Amino acid sequence: MIRSQLELEVRYYETDQMGIVHHSNYIRYFECGRSKLLVDLGLPIEQIEAAGIVFPVVSVNARYRQPAKMGDRLRIVSTVEKVPEGAKFPVKAEIYNQDGVLLCEGTVTLGFLDARRRIPVRCPEFIAEVFRRHEIGDE
Amino acid sequence: MIRSQLELEVRYYETDQMGIVHHSNYIRYFECGRSKLLVDLGLPIEQIEAAGIVFPVVSVNARYRQPAKMGDRLRIVSTVEKVPEGAKFPVKAEIYNQDGVLLCEGTVTLGFLDARRRIPVRCPEFIAEVFRRHEIGDE
Amino acid sequence: MIRSQLELEVRYYETDQMGIVHHSNYIRYFECGRSKLLVDLGLPIEQIEAAGIVFPVVSVNARYRQPAKMGDRLRIVSTVEKVPEGAKFPVKAEIYNQDGVLLCEGTVTLGFLDARRRIPVRCPEFIAEVFRRHEIGDE
Amino acid sequence: MIRSQLELEVRYYETDQMGIVHHSNYIRYFECGRSKLLVDLGLPIEQIEAAGIVFPVVSVNARYRQPAKMGDRLRIVSTVEKVPEGAKFPVKAEIYNQDGVLLCEGTVTLGFLDARRRIPVRCPEFIAEVFRRHEIGDE
């Protein structure tokens, strides 16, 4: 298992006229969490893209439990259950507020793509290797 | 079944450095489609909110098949399979480009909430009634 | 003078907890108006970029007069006062609601840039020529 | 003079197909900077709004000097030159990258508004007082 955490504050423009964070923004928070996970691994997105690999999102699901509000400080927990092998890999995401309340959880599945030919490729070995080095036991 | 269609153009700021529409924006397109469905029913969001009802998103899932690009003209098809009865109702969404290619599909489940007390309520009768009047046979 | 108009509806996610469209979104509406102006000229952004030219925004100013709200249908009027010659050109923008009330006005100045070398270039002749063909007298 | 700083990372969805942060997002970064300034003063937005005051943006101007990119860590410097007195007050903003390069600068002018009656009001004394307490000499 590989796990990463990111803290960020709700931004005013992310709220909507219901007075809560618009649901689409949690999908963006999930991505911020994944970027942080890659940085933690020493694999920033811009480096992977420089290697000719893009990994677009294949599917998303999210369940909204409690709304986030202006002033909230959120904690995004991103978890990769196992080292990616094939052309896809799922990342779990959970978002908590400053009181530890679970606001939203979901899974985003990414696919590895050759950037030039736009075809799916297996997880490049240099990426799998990095994941392997950072694997930790399940808590 | 109740069905609605909306056409909209990809906006430049919706693309990302992969050169395609960012995946979070399809979740927003889904919502544009739902707003259009409500307007088609004669039930604009601002009217429902004026009646003290909000209907936040409870869950989202989306599957991305082909990327949308700048210059694309999208068609969002929103479908409610049956008249809402309880406190939740799912809306299916499909997004096609100008060539009729399915780019993205998903389901967004909404919940009815009393705006002041923030508690779930059954679908208000005035809303269910409107859905019933607009129901059409399955195609 | 070259002028173009675009109509678009306020989207729910563009509102904020003040119950009005967030001010940053008018800057995005301005851009939608400019994209429409280019399409009207037969010069879609993706075609210009394919020619190796990008034209990033150099400066923006906007004055907010009345707020746009959910349910509003906006009209964006984009005006280029004269055919671009140098490396920059300003586009005026005005946004009106369905009642003809001026909500926001501003000017966005664009610069022409060689996409590969990232250096400013004079307005390419094929673009200036298109502007010339579409010039109309001042109203 | 009152001054505040905020650091934040570029988010992937903020980039566009030019490979740089979309210009509208700097307007949003400006706002993040202003929120931080208010938090530094002990005046979070949600507290001011709870007091029945909203302060919508009256005007914006921004000048873009160098593009921000994915991977950049930005520093937003927000400056209020003098304690607000009337119904409006300007906030200067500068955005630097991790190398200290000035990417964007501008000014956002806010207006104080009675939230219920939607009319301009002078800066409430409890806000002016807080600004006065935090005033520092010009550097």
Side-chain angles (χ1 to χ4, degrees), chain B:
Chain B
M1 189 183 69
I2 294 99
R3 176 163 288 174
S4 173
Q5 299 204 24
L6 172 70
E7 293 210 352
L8 47 80
E9 320 243 351
V10 167
R11 298 177 176 181
Y12 195 86
Y13 67 82
E14 294 172 338
T15 61
D16 63 26
Q17 68 183 40
M18 243 189 272
I20 58 179
V21 170
H22 189 267
H23 66 280
S24 60
N25 292 315
Y26 297 82
I27 307 298
R28 297 181 164 192
Y29 296 156
F30 286 180
E31 181 180 69
C32 294
R34 293 196 306 278
S35 292
K36 176 63 160 44
L37 181 136
L38 293 177
V39 168
D40 284 356
L41 295 179
L43 266 178
I45 288 178
E46 51 280 18
Q47 181 181 327
I48 300 177
E49 293 192 354
I53 300 291
V54 290
F55 39 117
V57 169
V58 173
S59 67
V60 159
N61 69 66
R63 189 160 155 59
Y64 302 91
R65 297 190 174 282
Q66 296 289 335
K69 295 191 172 147
M70 188 60 198
D72 279 353
R73 182 164 187 83
L74 307 179
R75 185 163 54 92
I76 293 99
V77 181
S78 306
T79 308
V80 176
E81 297 288 358
K82 56 198 217 49
V83 173
E85 290 179 357
K88 293 186 192 175
F89 80 108
V91 182
K92 281 179 55 179
E94 292 150 300
I95 300 180
Y96 299 89
N97 71 7
Q98 61 282 352
D99 301 319
V101 177
L102 178 62
L103 306 182
C104 179
E105 58 188 325
T107 301
V108 177
T109 299
L110 304 170
F112 294 106
L113 215 62
D114 179 293
R116 202 163 40 80
R117 294 179 300 158
R118 309 298 299 180
I119 56 166
V121 293
R122 289 172 59 88
C123 174
E125 181 52 28
F126 83 95
I127 295 179
E129 172 53 27
V130 170
F131 273 86
R132 249 175 253 127
R133 266 207 318 275
H134 288 81
E135 213 170 3
I136 55 171
D138 291 5
E139 277 156 44

Side-chain angles (χ1 to χ4, degrees), chain D residues 35-54:
Chain D
S35 292
K36 175 62 160 43
L37 181 135
L38 293 177
V39 168
D40 284 356
L41 294 178
L43 267 178
I45 288 179
E46 51 280 17
Q47 181 182 325
I48 300 177
E49 294 192 354
I53 300 291
V54 289

